Amino acid sequence: MINLGILNDLIIYEILMAVLLFGFSIIFAVRYRQRQRKAIKYLSLTYLMFTFGALFAAYGHLVYTKYWFLILMDYAIVPYLLTGYFIPIGPQRMLLLFDQFTFQLVLYLEGYFITLVYQWSAALIAAMIGHLFIFLFTLEAFKEVKRKYIVPYLVLLAIVLASLLFNIQSITINWALAFMLGLITQGLLSYYAIKAMRLTDSKLYKRGFLLVSITAVLFILFFLSYLIDSVTGGWTIFLFVGWTLALVSAVPTYIGYLMPDWFRRRYE
């Protein structure tokens, strides 16, 4: 049965992640003012968008608490009344009619925008815009990136955003689309970072490009964590793992691309 007991802990954790992500956004913004490199500005905007994503997620879970009883009926009481058993969350979730009822009630009482937040669409939209900035960072940081990728990428981004805006009931489908876009975005970043790592003879830059490629992997795992949570019925440990990975990703990005003095001294 769904573990509603983690809800309050999750809200607090998401707010904490938002604060820390915003801190990294500020750090990158300060470095941008010092160095005036567009790539650093895009990193600052990336983590700003993920800050909004964490805040939208926390607010969505606050809305969730208003409908606690109905959702508990959805996942526990209704299956018990129909079968005589408390059915663990799994594929049978799709067969429960109260999913549709609760969604329509939130839409009617709270309005369209709050429903976007409630259904995770708002958090995903912020994350997708963040991925746009990661894509722009890749274009700026690695000048050899082929410009032919720009139009297809923007078309795919528009499709994903349209699904998040208008297909707001299909959470798993939206997470799958977000994961696909994230895989492409981070795949490009990882490919060019590893390519640059192989071409350079500098031990310093090899380590830097390796760290940037690790950032891409962490972002992919962020989306994979939430996709796994959605597919498995929700409210798993992957909810906590996801935002942790997004936060941790800022560390190798900062060290690998900005190369602070202590990092340079170690490898030069």
Side-chain angles (χ1 to χ4, degrees), residues 72-176:
L72 183 62
M73 289 181 66
D74 181 2
Y75 293 120
I77 297 175
V78 170
Y80 177 77
L81 292 175
L82 293 176
T83 67
Y85 298 95
F86 287 106
I87 303 176
I89 293 304
Q92 56 268 57
R93 170 184 175 181
M94 295 183 294
L95 302 177
L96 302 178
L97 297 179
F98 264 59
D99 268 342
Q100 175 69 20
F101 175 74
T102 308
F103 167 81
Q104 293 295 337
L105 189 64
V106 174
L107 182 63
Y108 176 76
L109 294 177
E110 305 289 346
Y112 174 73
F113 176 75
I114 300 301
T115 307
L116 284 178
V117 177
Y118 171 78
Q119 290 291 94
W120 276 88
S121 287
L124 282 175
I125 288 170
M128 293 300 94
I129 296 173
H131 266 60
L132 173 62
F133 289 125
I134 294 174
F135 179 71
L136 294 174
F137 165 78
T138 304
L139 292 177
E140 188 67 27
F142 304 97
K143 300 297 185 180
E144 70 274 20
V145 179
K146 295 180 180 179
R147 303 292 161 170
K148 68 179 181 180
Y149 295 138
I150 296 177
V151 173
Y153 183 86
L154 292 178
V155 170
L156 179 58
L157 175 64
I159 292 172
V160 175
L161 291 177
S163 179
L164 292 171
L165 286 169
F166 303 110
N167 188 36
I168 57 177
Q169 192 171 0
S170 302
I171 299 177
T172 301
I173 292 176
N174 286 340
W175 271 114

Side-chain angles (χ1 to χ4, degrees), residues 1 6 16 20 26 35 50 53 59 61 88 96 105 114 124 138 152 156 173 187 190 202 239 241 248 250 263 265 267:
M1 186 168 60
I6 71 171
L16 175 61
L20 295 175
I26 294 298
R35 300 188 181 184
F50 275 88
Y59 185 56
H61 289 127
L96 302 178
L105 189 64
I114 300 301
L124 282 175
T138 304
L156 179 58
I173 292 176
S190 181
S202 168
L239 290 171
V241 171
V248 172
F263 183 73
R265 287 195 299 267
Y267 291 105

